Amino acid sequence: MNAGTSDGGGATLWEQIFQRRNLFAALARVEANGGAPGVDGLTVEGLRPYLKAHWLEIRAALDAESYRPQPVRRVEIPKPDGGVRLLGIPTVVDRLVQQAIAQVLTPLFDPQFSEHSYGFRPKRSAHQAIEAAQAYLGEGYDWVVDIDLEKFFDRVNHDALTLAPHASAGVARVGRVVTDRRVKRLIHLYLISGVLVEGVVMASEEGTPQGGPLSPLLSNIMLDDLDKELERRGHRFVRYADDCNIYVQSARAGERVMESVKHFIEAKLKLKVNERKSAVARVTRRKFLGYSFLKRNGEILRRVAERSLERVKDKVRRMTRRTSAEPMPAILERINRLVRGWIGYYRLADTPSVFKELDEWLRHRLRQLLWKRWKRPKTRYRELVARGVPPSSAREAAGSGKGCWRLSASPPAHQALNNAYWRAQGLVSFSDRYQQLRLT
């Protein structure tokens, strides 16, 4: 299906994007997503009043093709395994326009995408991708060709995506479906809008800013050629954004597939495979979307990957630093938000003991924090006795010269700050939340 002059009801694709209903839906989505302001400093909260005052002139500029997207604001997000992820934060007005475009283009492109693609698509999720990978392992495909694309969002070739003035229609992926010149031109302007780095606007010669509403759709458009090639070759695979796993039955087959697919990616898509993160390995030796797999007595089990556990522990460590002066209720509120969101994602894990261990470790961190805050032996003694610890035991623990971490694991600390105490304080349990979600 080509989308150009009309949708069958008389409205052009351009007009569909800027219809009142679509714009209000885009506005609601931008407001719900929140996020930091772009280079102009306009906040999400200020967007609606700004549009009331300026939308007519913005729309006139769009129709006259004189509208120019502002550069994105560069933000560096540390990666858990080192390095940084570069995000490009568009202005809230540009986020609105991008969202409006994405809402109209997604129904045109999505039906053509591969059933093996799960990232950033309606009614598809990371959980479905994990279940598909598990099914391949269950069918005897024990080896994985784990392909990671190096800086994908920074390297996407603009001419391969849009019909730029010097690109051919046969190459431009967006142009295969979208024939409306104004829409393709506006998308191209977003790709080349530039990045503001330390007050200097740098040109965008390649890449799609990771952080804008259009980027997920553009990434799937670009990588759909890879999906179609893997389907043509008859491979069993799962792709989630730029993370692609191909499942095979032997190491030798995996090496052959890795070499040929790498050649296709670099020669045809003009992208680069990250050699350090890509590998051919047993499925049970690799992680995928934060999960790993375990074979036990013929059964395939899902579990939380070790790196994912370390990540959540690092977050809890930052929230429970012994030097923190934040009130305990505020700390518990932040921890509870983390627990709910984290378990919401990792509820597929088949290893409940992991969540019980996390609970024990979390309570230990919190006991340590309180013990440090009590500081003086007299305070510690008083707090322990007030919570039912016998005076002799309280006196011994309070006067000990051992460190906070060791003492917070002692019997008196356990008795005073037991599970019931933390439940009464409103602490959400990893294990309890896991059990609740598994039952729903």
Side-chain angles (χ1 to χ4, degrees), residues 30-97:
V30 170
E31 290 175 331
N33 288 342
V39 295
D40 61 355
L42 182 62
T43 64
V44 171
E45 294 75 18
L47 177 58
R48 196 173 286 255
Y50 181 85
L51 292 173
K52 286 181 179 179
H54 299 284
W55 176 248
L56 290 179
E57 60 191 80
I58 294 170
R59 177 63 198 273
L62 285 162
D63 286 341
E65 300 185 19
S66 59
Y67 181 83
R68 292 293 180 274
Q70 296 197 57
V72 298
R73 183 168 64 86
R74 171 61 51 84
V75 176
E76 295 184 353
I77 306 296
K79 291 184 178 180
D81 54 351
V84 294
R85 175 177 287 107
L86 300 178
L87 295 185
I89 309 300
T91 65
V92 289
V93 172
D94 284 326
R95 296 212 289 267
L96 170 73
V97 177

Side-chain angles (χ1 to χ4, degrees), residues 104-136:
V104 170
L105 295 193
T106 295
L108 301 178
F109 281 96
D110 194 76
Q112 302 180 28
F113 290 154
S114 167
E115 64 176 296
H116 306 288
S117 165
Y118 293 89
F120 310 123
R121 295 183 60 190
K123 300 180 181 179
R124 288 186 163 250
S125 68
H127 284 176
Q128 292 172 330
I130 293 157
E131 288 168 343
Q134 182 183 20
Y136 288 138

Side-chain angles (χ1 to χ4, degrees), residues 292-310:
S292 60
F293 297 101
L294 174 68
K295 271 191 170 184
R296 182 186 293 165
N297 300 324
E299 187 180 6
I300 311 298
L301 301 178
R302 299 175 295 244
R303 59 182 182 176
V304 182
E306 287 297 323
R307 192 178 300 173
S308 302
L309 286 172
E310 279 307 308

Side-chain angles (χ1 to χ4, degrees), residues 140-433:
Y141 292 83
D142 293 347
W143 290 80
V144 62
V145 181
D146 187 348
I147 297 175
D148 184 90
L149 298 178
E150 186 172 305
K151 297 182 179 178
F152 168 72
F153 286 93
D154 298 330
R155 295 184 183 274
V156 170
N157 183 280
H158 290 171
D159 291 351
L161 264 176
T162 64
L163 196 62
H166 49 284
S168 65
V171 176
R173 270 76 174 173
V174 172
R176 293 172 182 171
V177 173
V178 176
T179 58
D180 190 312
R181 181 188 59 80
R182 290 178 297 178
V183 175
K184 289 185 291 186
R185 178 181 177 277
L186 184 55
I187 294 172
H188 188 69
L189 288 176
Y190 275 116
L191 290 174
I192 64 170
S193 61
V195 180
L196 186 68
V197 180
E198 296 180 354
V200 178
V201 177
M202 303 179 67
S204 304
E205 296 179 358
E206 61 180 5
T208 171
Q210 190 176 359
L214 260 178
S215 291
L217 175 61
L218 294 179
S219 71
N220 277 330
I221 292 172
M222 186 68 189
L223 291 176
D224 189 55
D225 278 10
L226 172 61
D227 297 340
K228 296 298 193 293
E229 178 65 15
L230 295 178
E231 288 177 346
R232 188 185 67 79
R233 298 182 186 187
H235 287 311
R236 290 159 175 81
F237 71 98
V238 177
R239 184 176 66 78
Y240 192 95
D242 56 341
D243 197 348
C244 183
N245 280 3
I246 306 167
Y247 297 89
V248 295
Q249 293 181 309
S250 69
R252 189 174 179 182
E255 295 295 346
R256 287 198 306 269
V257 170
M258 173 67 85
E259 192 60 34
S260 63
V261 172
K262 178 185 170 187
H263 179 266
F264 175 84
I265 288 170
E266 296 185 347
K268 300 293 184 180
L269 302 184
K270 309 301 181 186
L271 297 169
K272 187 170 177 59
V273 172
N274 188 324
E275 302 278 1
R276 184 174 63 86
K277 292 185 178 180
S278 301
V280 175
R282 290 273 187 188
V283 175
T284 52
R285 301 290 297 274
R286 301 291 289 180
K287 68 178 184 66
F288 181 52
L289 300 177
Y291 281 82
S292 60
F293 297 101
L294 174 68
K295 271 191 170 184
R296 182 186 293 165
N297 300 324
E299 187 180 6
I300 311 298
L301 301 178
R302 299 175 295 244
R303 59 182 182 176
V304 182
E306 287 297 323
R307 192 178 300 173
S308 302
L309 286 172
E310 279 307 308
R311 258 191 248 180
V312 75
K313 284 186 172 183
D314 283 343
K315 290 178 180 178
V316 171
R317 287 187 186 102
R318 289 194 291 271
M319 294 178 185
T320 58
R321 287 191 183 100
R322 288 187 294 173
T323 55
S324 170
E326 188 176 12
M328 184 58 75
I331 292 174
L332 294 181
E333 184 181 343
R334 290 201 295 132
I335 289 174
N336 287 346
R337 285 199 300 269
L338 171 65
V339 171
R340 290 189 184 101
W342 195 81
I343 290 295
Y345 184 75
Y346 287 103
R347 67 181 184 272
L348 291 187
D350 299 310
T351 49
S353 61
V354 168
F355 304 114
K356 291 180 180 178
E357 291 168 7
L358 268 178
D359 277 332
E360 292 170 5
W361 177 83
L362 170 59
R363 289 190 294 264
H364 193 171
R365 290 286 307 179
L366 292 169
R367 288 196 304 271
Q368 175 191 230
L369 180 58
L370 274 185
W371 192 265
K372 177 69 175 177
R373 287 184 174 186
W374 290 343
K375 292 184 180 178
R376 301 165 68 87
K378 284 185 178 180
T379 304
R380 290 172 177 173
Y381 173 80
R382 184 178 67 247
E383 295 289 352
L384 290 175
V385 171
R387 289 170 172 79
V389 178
S392 58
S393 298
R395 190 175 297 109
E396 182 180 353
S400 174
K402 295 176 182 177
C404 288
W405 182 252
R406 287 186 64 185
L407 285 169
S408 59
S410 67
H414 267 287
Q415 183 179 347
L417 304 171
N418 56 23
N419 296 2
Y421 171 83
W422 291 113
R423 278 197 297 271
Q425 303 305 306
L427 178 66
V428 174
S429 157
F430 281 99
S431 184
D432 289 351
R433 185 65 177 162

